[in-house]
């Protein structure tokens, strides 16, 4: 059976979109309408996807409101119960202090929610250069007491030295969130370890534990606001915002986080913070004395070939690459002339002049 698909003109396609019909595909009527109908079809798909995303966001918002209401309902009920005890003249407990404690817990939660949703404009003046060796070691040591209270072995590998620009308070909060989570979800007597590494582009922080881990189905959602893997929801301090804040802070810095976890085996959170790119210094960037020292120290006979090949390869200069390779047997006699060139003119001549003049001064 043939399936008939309605073909419409560009004018009809525009009218379809204006009516809010984003579900019917747009198929062009003739070749003249093809370019605009193809673009209108892309627009239709985009509008349809945006509508679906809005519906999904509304569902997520409702779930979030329900989640917050659930978290606040329990301490409110407890406060009401304590107040009734006071009204009845009961004195078996210090109900005033208990009410204050629960009220403070609720206040902390509200503040955390507000901070997580506040959109503040940041400027580069907020970012400061920090010594990674000192800064991250001190921040890790702040959490040692938390691990000690739970009888958890807390190991911090000495951070390597580097310099990065960051928002110190935000990075401090981010790291303490990760470590406190590791301690919280590790059983008494377990282990938490923090170690560091430097990659060409990032300063890397690993927070490892051998705790309860994260299930495979929960792993994709742990950085979403208000998501809590523990469905019992019996901990007022667990707002589901800690890891969402971790993600937000790293996005501010142009970094990211990776997670590996297995239930009952533990988790590893790997944080990547961008390093400052340092301009590479080449031979010609040094002063005359250092250049001469480099050419005469070590294996001076090989200095000419090493320099010319590296220079030609860096400039993608095929002629000088080939010429340098062919002239290798003669370089043993050339280093002395290169030293003289440096002493007199502070430059070394290549075999074949490049198309653009090159100065080594």
């Amino acid at each position: 059976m043939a399936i008939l698909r309605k073909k419409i003109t560009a004018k009809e396609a525009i009218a379809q979109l204006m009516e809010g019909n984003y579900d019917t595909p747009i198929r062009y009527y003739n070749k003249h309408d093809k370019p605009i109908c193809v673009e209108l079809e892309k627009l239709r798909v985009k509008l349809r996807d945006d509508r679906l995303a809005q519906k999904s966001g509304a569902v997520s918002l409702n779930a979030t409101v329900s989640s917050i209401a659930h978290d606040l309902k329990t301490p409110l009920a407890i406060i009401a119960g304590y107040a009734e005890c006071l009204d009845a003249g009961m004195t078996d407990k210090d109900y005033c202090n208990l009410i204050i404690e629960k009220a403070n817990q609720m206040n902390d939660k509200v503040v955390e929610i507000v901070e997580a949703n506040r959109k503040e404009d940041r400027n580069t003046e907020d970012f400061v250069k920090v010594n990674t060796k000192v800064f991250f070691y001190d921040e890790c040591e702040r959490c040692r007491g938390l691990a000690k209270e739970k009888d958890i072995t807390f190991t911090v590998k000495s951070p390597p030295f580097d310099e990065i620009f960051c928002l110190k308070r935000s990075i401090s909060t981010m790291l303490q969130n990760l470590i406190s989570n590791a301690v919280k979800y590790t059983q008494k007597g377990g282990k938490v370890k923090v170690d560091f590494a430097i990659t060409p582009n990032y300063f890397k922080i690993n927070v490892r534990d051998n705790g309860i881990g994260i299930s495979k189905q929960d792993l994709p959602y742990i950085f979403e606001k208000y998501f809590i893997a523990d469905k019992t929801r019996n901990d007022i301090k667990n707002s589901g915002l800690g890891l969402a804040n971790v993600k937000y802070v790293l996005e501010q810095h142009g970094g990211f986080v990776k997670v590996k976890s297995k239930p009952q085996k533990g988790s590893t959170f790997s944080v990547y913070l961008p390093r400052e790119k340092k301009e590479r210094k080449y031979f010609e960037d040094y002063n005359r004395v250092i250049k001469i020292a480099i050419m005469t120290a070590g294996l001076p006979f090989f200095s000419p070939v090493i320099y010319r090949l590296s220079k030609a390869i860096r400039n993608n200069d095929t002629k000088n690459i080939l010429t340098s390779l062919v002239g290798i047997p003669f370089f043993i006699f050339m280093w002395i002339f290169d030293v003289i060139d440096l002493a007199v003119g502070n430059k070394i001549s290549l075999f074949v002049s490049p198309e653009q003049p090159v100065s080594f001064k």
Side-chain angles (χ1 to χ4, degrees):
M1 179 184 293
I3 299 177
L4 298 177
R5 292 192 176 101
K6 183 181 178 182
K7 296 182 179 180
I8 59 179
T9 64
K11 183 178 180 180
E12 291 172 330
I14 294 172
Q16 172 185 318
L17 295 179
M18 291 180 66
E19 292 172 359
N21 180 3
Y22 307 143
D23 299 312
T24 304
I26 295 173
R27 305 185 184 280
Y28 60 90
Y29 182 75
N30 55 53
K31 292 183 178 179
H32 298 292
D33 285 335
K34 179 178 179 180
I36 188 170
C37 283
V38 168
E39 295 303 317
L40 288 172
E41 171 64 8
K42 293 179 182 178
L43 176 61
R44 180 195 71 82
V45 172
K46 178 66 168 58
L47 291 171
R48 181 199 62 191
D49 292 345
D50 287 347
R51 182 181 63 187
L52 293 174
Q54 287 177 357
K55 288 182 178 179
S56 176
V59 172
S60 177
L61 179 60
N62 289 335
T64 296
V65 172
S66 298
S67 170
I68 295 172
H70 183 284
D71 285 340
L72 296 179
K73 182 179 178 180
T74 300
L76 282 172
I78 294 173
I79 289 173
Y82 290 157
E84 289 177 2
C85 292
L86 280 173
D87 187 56
M90 298 177 62
T91 58
D92 57 319
K93 295 180 181 178
D94 188 352
Y95 290 107
C96 287
N97 280 335
L98 290 173
I99 290 174
I100 292 172
E101 180 183 346
K102 288 298 176 182
N104 286 337
Q105 286 183 355
M106 291 180 60
N107 181 67
D108 291 343
K109 183 173 182 63
V110 171
V111 169
E112 190 175 7
I113 292 170
V114 171
E115 288 295 326
N117 289 279
R118 179 179 294 166
K119 302 298 182 182
E120 294 181 338
D121 293 329
R122 300 279 183 178
N123 55 58
T124 54
E125 292 179 354
D126 292 325
F127 285 76
V128 296
K129 183 165 67 174
V130 300
N131 179 327
T132 57
K133 187 175 185 66
V134 175
F135 176 69
F136 286 110
Y137 183 81
D138 290 345
E139 292 303 319
C140 290
E141 287 301 306
R142 292 175 184 267
C143 298
R144 188 169 295 280
L146 186 65
K148 188 176 181 180
E149 288 178 4
K150 202 173 175 181
D151 194 23
I152 287 175
T153 302
F154 184 57
T155 306
V156 179
K157 183 181 177 182
S158 180
F161 171 76
D162 198 6
E163 291 180 335
I164 62 172
F165 281 84
C166 68
L167 300 166
K168 289 182 68 174
R169 189 169 64 178
S170 295
I171 293 299
S172 172
T173 302
M174 179 272 299
L175 183 57
Q176 290 182 36
N177 268 332
L178 290 177
I179 296 175
S180 61
N181 273 356
V183 171
K184 180 177 181 180
Y185 294 109
T186 299
Q187 300 88 339
K188 183 177 180 180
K191 297 179 180 179
V192 173
K193 180 181 180 181
V194 184
D195 58 64
F196 308 84
I198 293 179
T199 72
N201 297 315
Y202 296 96
F203 185 86
K204 182 181 178 184
I205 309 168
N206 295 310
V207 180
R208 314 174 192 271
D209 66 69
N210 62 347
I212 63 175
I214 305 168
S215 65
K216 188 176 181 179
Q217 59 266 29
D218 287 335
L219 206 54
Y221 308 105
I222 60 174
F223 292 102
E224 293 184 5
K225 285 183 179 180
Y226 311 112
F227 178 80
I228 300 175
D230 182 7
K231 304 304 180 184
T232 59
R233 309 182 57 80
N234 57 1
D235 184 0
I236 186 65
K237 294 182 180 179
N238 189 2
S239 61
L241 291 172
L243 291 180
N245 286 339
V246 168
K247 179 184 176 183
Y248 174 69
V249 168
L250 289 172
E251 287 176 347
Q252 279 184 304
H253 290 75
F256 57 95
V257 60
K258 293 182 178 179
V259 187
K260 293 181 181 178
S261 186
K262 290 184 178 180
Q264 307 309 319
K265 296 291 185 180
S267 305
T268 298
F269 285 77
S270 297
V271 168
Y272 294 79
L273 285 167
R275 302 175 61 202
E276 286 294 304
K277 291 185 177 180
K278 297 180 180 179
E279 187 177 351
R280 186 176 296 178
K281 203 167 186 179
Y282 296 103
F283 177 81
E284 54 266 24
D285 297 323
Y286 292 99
N287 62 45
R288 186 184 315 221
V289 175
I290 294 177
K291 289 178 186 176
I292 294 174
I294 292 173
M295 292 296 292
T296 56
L299 299 172
F301 298 148
F302 293 96
S303 297
V305 65
I306 293 172
Y307 169 72
R308 285 179 171 81
L309 272 176
S310 63
K311 178 70 175 178
I313 292 172
R314 176 154 52 91
N315 290 339
N316 197 24
D317 186 350
T318 306
K319 291 181 180 179
N320 274 301
I321 292 174
L322 295 176
T323 306
S324 298
L325 291 173
V326 172
I328 285 177
F330 306 99
F331 277 136
I332 192 172
F333 306 107
M334 291 191 59
W335 72 274
I336 186 64
F337 296 104
D338 287 342
V339 171
I340 294 173
D341 276 348
L342 287 173
V344 175
N346 194 25
K347 65 179 182 179
I348 296 178
S349 302
L350 298 180
F351 285 115
V352 181
S353 297
E355 294 181 3
Q356 298 292 333
V358 178
S359 173
F360 297 144
K361 293 184 180 180

